């Protein structure tokens, strides 16, 4: 019955479809009760179940902390390396939110990603938001850069569609992909990395436009130069500029805390197709230029 | 002596560096003689050595034919599958140009690409232009799409830098990467493909800006919807639009011949940083919007 009611209807608004879905209706009901205990300022994220890929990274960790101020129901952190002390720290921040860590390398085959997600969905029943934040910055490592920054993000996204896609009876969902300003205009000294981030930006813009079909909305958060360990020292392509990190850091930057604050503000705005530019502590929704139109 | 003279000098114009290089000087001298036999209209490509990755593809084959009208010295076609009858056809088109075919799959490790290029450089002594044209369009195949369209292109480009980079004593070179209009604005139904092409566009724009360091200039040719076998039938991501090919072809398109004519015009313009939009038989250099500036 659930699956039948959720079958796609051309151009149907997925929010309407959701209302037909019994499990979602119940969930909505419970959410209303739970949200009564949330502060008004953090109502959007309150009681949400969030998966955060790379939620222990430099920007990731501060963003996880910021998220925990919003009384999530569950924060499931997937990261390549377990850092138990950091997970403990996060667990202690807000007793209202259950923080879980599970190891995940985004470069595994998509079947592995689906298995892991199944475990999470079986446990939580629903997931509201997936944050895809795995990224490396090292233009000596061509394959790894592309595999993590683009292929891994696409695979994780594709994997969660098994559970979210309204055409499969899913309830829809919200996808937050971490791009980078280098996806708009490159740091030319790291062309491989910048290109991979351009791919993320372009890919996510498409997904937003497919939301009426899949029920999944999508946006990117694109940090400007942020003082992370990633940026402190990294390799340029063919060593075209050995001092690229130092040169970048001579110009205005932002702290990971500033970035995290903007990050969570962007999530709260929940704008399908948002192209968020997070720079020097500010947040701006970029309007992408239309160079051509496929007309379909 | 050669290597010493070609060591990098900050911000040096690589064309000046080239003039110090003895082998290049000789080559230039021979070129002047050879070009005297070329028609004025095709003087830029006349007597050039060109490597064309995917030169037997749909757009590739017609572009190879168009190139052969320009009296190249050598056209080395690298493609995954040998098509002897097509190679024979190309060989017969212009006796002034030596056409060679060598099998090449862009997804091989970079060491393999370097080995193949070494064979070519050993034989031809110099290569003037590399055209990177390998591409697949099938959003059911996530890994293959990204591996061919982006990683393969980056690896082939990185491999040829061993022979071209002026910092290694090379003579510089010209890189022509085939992007796509979907790299500017996606065909949303194929987000994986479109993202991979956005990566190519962004990557190549960086390379153009690094030309003063590497001696290698770069530009992209970005075909609009072209009536190829690739476009006749292809899979959308998660089948979001099973009729995507038919829908696209309902709108104005161009033939592979029209595309090839614009393609070779773009090569002849030889504009470092060119972002060529090849649509409906026209050719336009797109100006990319500046969303931010890394200031380095």
């Amino acid at each position: 019955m659930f699956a039948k009611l959720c079958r796609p209807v051309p151009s149907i608004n997925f929010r309407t479809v959701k209302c037909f879905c019994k499990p979602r209706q119940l969930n909505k009901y419970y959410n209303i009760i739970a949200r009564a205990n949330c502060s008004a300022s953090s109502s959007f994220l309150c009681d949400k179940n969030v998966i955060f890929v790379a939620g222990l990274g430099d920007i990731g960790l501060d963003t996880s902390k910021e998220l925990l101020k919003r009384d999530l129901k569950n924060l499931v952190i997937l990261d390549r390396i377990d850092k138990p002390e950091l997970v403990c720290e996060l667990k202690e921040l807000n007793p209202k939110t259950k923080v879980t860590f599970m190891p995940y390398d985004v470069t595994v085959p998509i079947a592995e990603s689906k298995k892991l997600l199944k475990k999470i969905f079986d446990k939580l029943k629903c997931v509201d938001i997936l944050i895809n934040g795995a990224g490396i910055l090292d233009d000596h490592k061509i394959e790894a850069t592309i595999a993590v920054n683009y292929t891994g993000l696409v695979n994780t996204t594709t994997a969660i569609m098994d559970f979210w896609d309204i055409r499969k009876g899913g309830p829809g969902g919200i996808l937050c992909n971490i791009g980078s300003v280098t996806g708009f205009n490159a740091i030319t000294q790291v062309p491989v990395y910048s290109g991979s981030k351009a791919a993320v930006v372009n890919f996510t813009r498409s997904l937003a436009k497919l939301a009426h079909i899949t029920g999944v909305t999508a946006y990117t958060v694109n940090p400007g130069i942020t003082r992370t360990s990633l940026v402190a020292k990294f390799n340029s392509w063919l060593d075209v500029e050995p001092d690229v990190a130092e040169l970048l850091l001579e110009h205005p930057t932002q702290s990971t805390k500033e970035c995290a604050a903007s990050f969570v503000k962007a999530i709260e705005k929940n704008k399908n197709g948002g192209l968020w530019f997070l720079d020097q502590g500010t947040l701006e929704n970029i309007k992408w230029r239309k160079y051509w139109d496929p007309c379909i």
Side-chain angles (χ1 to χ4, degrees), chain A:
Chain A
M1 182 66 175
F2 171 57
K4 201 177 170 190
L5 280 168
C6 291
R7 285 274 167 252
V9 181
S11 300
I12 198 161
N13 182 317
F14 77 92
R15 300 211 173 275
T16 319
V17 176
K18 276 183 178 179
C19 294
F20 285 107
C21 303
K22 274 187 179 168
R24 194 71 183 178
Q25 262 183 327
L26 284 173
N27 187 262
K28 203 174 170 183
Y29 174 71
Y30 291 133
N31 276 351
I32 289 165
I33 298 168
R35 275 176 194 150
N37 301 318
C38 293
S39 67
S41 65
S42 63
S43 60
F44 174 72
L45 277 163
C46 182
D47 210 47
K48 288 275 196 296
N49 289 336
V50 177
I51 300 179
F52 195 167
V53 179
L56 297 180
D58 280 337
I59 292 175
L61 183 66
D62 275 328
T63 306
S64 291
K65 288 179 183 172
E66 198 66 26
L67 284 169
L68 287 169
K69 294 180 190 166
R70 267 69 173 182
D71 296 347
L72 309 181
K73 190 172 177 184
N74 280 283
L75 176 61
V76 182
I77 294 177
L78 307 182
D79 218 319
R80 208 167 53 87
I81 303 165
D82 190 6
K83 295 167 186 162
E85 72 291 355
L86 294 183
V87 177
C88 278
E89 190 189 334
L90 291 177
K91 280 182 178 176
E92 284 166 11
L93 281 180
N94 188 344
K96 288 184 189 161
T97 306
K98 188 172 180 193
V99 177
T100 320
F101 172 84
M102 296 168 93
Y104 179 52
D105 176 345
V106 295
T107 65
V108 296
I110 194 167
E112 292 295 312
S113 308
K114 287 183 182 182
K115 258 191 217 170
L116 179 67
L117 289 171
K118 189 172 181 324
K119 266 190 210 166
I120 299 170
F121 275 83
D122 283 349
K123 200 170 150 191
L124 305 186
K125 303 305 169 209
C126 86
V127 172
D128 300 285
I129 303 173
L130 166 66
I131 306 172
N132 274 314
I136 61 168
L137 169 55
D138 182 349
D139 260 31
H140 281 188
K141 296 178 179 164
I142 294 169
E143 268 87 358
T145 298
I146 301 170
V148 172
N149 296 4
Y150 188 43
T151 318
L153 178 139
V154 172
N155 274 341
T156 309
T157 300
T158 307
I160 207 165
M161 299 303 286
D162 270 7
F163 307 90
W164 271 355
D165 196 328
I166 53 173
R167 298 173 301 163
K168 292 186 172 192
I174 300 166
L175 190 69
C176 168
N177 286 340
I178 306 190
S180 159
V181 284
T182 63
F184 307 160
N185 300 94
I187 296 172
T188 56
Q189 293 82 353
V190 283
V192 185
Y193 171 85
S194 301
S196 73
K197 290 296 185 175
V200 170
V201 168
N202 181 297
F203 173 75
T204 311
R205 291 188 71 235
S206 290
L207 265 48
K209 290 179 185 161
L210 297 171
H212 66 290
I213 297 170
T214 62
V216 177
T217 58
Y219 53 87
T220 50
V221 293
N222 301 280
I225 308 305
T226 309
R227 296 187 298 277
T228 64
S229 63
L230 211 73
V231 172
K233 183 85 197 145
F234 59 93
N235 291 312
S236 62
W237 182 64
L238 295 175
D239 294 321
V240 285
E241 178 48 76
D243 300 326
V244 59
E246 289 83 344
L247 289 173
L248 263 185
L249 294 173
E250 280 173 11
H251 298 277
T253 58
Q254 65 186 351
S255 67
T256 52
K257 276 197 171 54
E258 285 174 307
C259 183
S262 298
F263 197 136
V264 177
K265 268 186 209 162
I267 294 176
E268 287 177 327
K269 288 186 185 286
N270 193 32
K271 185 173 175 49
N272 186 35
L275 200 60
W276 296 107
F277 178 33
L278 288 66
D279 199 31
Q280 298 172 51
T282 67
L283 179 68
E284 185 193 348
N285 188 19
I286 295 288
K287 193 171 155 44
W288 194 258
R289 187 175 155 193
K290 189 188 274 189
Y291 297 89
W292 81 297
D293 190 339
C295 304
I296 65 167

